[in-house]
Amino acid sequence: QVQLVESGGGLVQAGGSLRLSCAASGYIPGSNTMGWYRQAPGKQRELVALLTSGEDTTYLDSVKDRFTISRANAKNTVYLHMNSLKPEDTAVYYCRVTILVAGRLELYWGQGTQVTVSS
């Protein structure tokens, strides 16, 4: 039902910036969380940033003060603003939305977008 489409990845030099976008279609209840995860080769997928419908945010320690997650007003679109990028930020970045429907959680993932940071 819910589909997530990501964009904005690319190749940048260390110190550069990128903005990732995730557009969600389908039914998204008012109570939800949207977030960004990333997975580097040979490593586990990790939470980068999380945004609740109540505007609470959570960040991975290594990206705190460099990345910002936000949501477009009245739209089911979430952004990840990435500043001062480092080579260790290189990974596939995935958008995720979690909703509560009829008392159960439903989780949806985007297809991922590649971010590569060169030194």
Side-chain angles (χ1 to χ4, degrees):
Q1 181 73 8
V2 176
Q3 294 183 343
L4 307 176
V5 179
E6 299 152 299
S7 62
L11 173 64
V12 298
Q13 294 188 23
S17 299
L18 284 174
R19 188 184 77 168
L20 306 183
S21 299
C22 174
S25 62
Y27 175 62
I28 307 294
S31 180
N32 66 81
T33 60
M34 301 185 74
W36 290 93
Y37 290 70
R38 69 184 183 188
Q39 187 167 23
K43 297 185 178 180
Q44 292 185 316
R45 189 173 299 185
E46 62 184 352
L47 174 67
V48 177
L50 189 68
L51 176 65
T52 72
S53 54
E55 305 302 327
D56 294 320
T57 58
T58 301
Y59 293 95
L60 181 68
D61 284 345
S62 62
V63 308
K64 187 177 181 180
D65 300 324
R66 297 190 297 118
F67 292 9
T68 302
I69 187 170
S70 63
R71 176 186 279 119
N73 292 335
K75 290 186 178 296
N76 292 319
T77 302
V78 64
Y79 303 100
L80 184 66
H81 301 260
M82 303 185 294
N83 190 42
S84 301
L85 283 162
K86 304 175 180 179
E88 53 262 41
D89 295 319
T90 296
V92 177
Y93 284 70
Y94 298 90
C95 178
R96 191 187 78 172
V97 60
T98 301
I99 62 175
L100 183 63
V101 179
R104 64 182 294 271
L105 291 174
E106 294 186 4
L107 186 150
Y108 299 89
W109 290 93
Q111 81 285 356
T113 184
Q114 177 71 47
V115 172
T116 302
V117 185
S118 62
S119 61

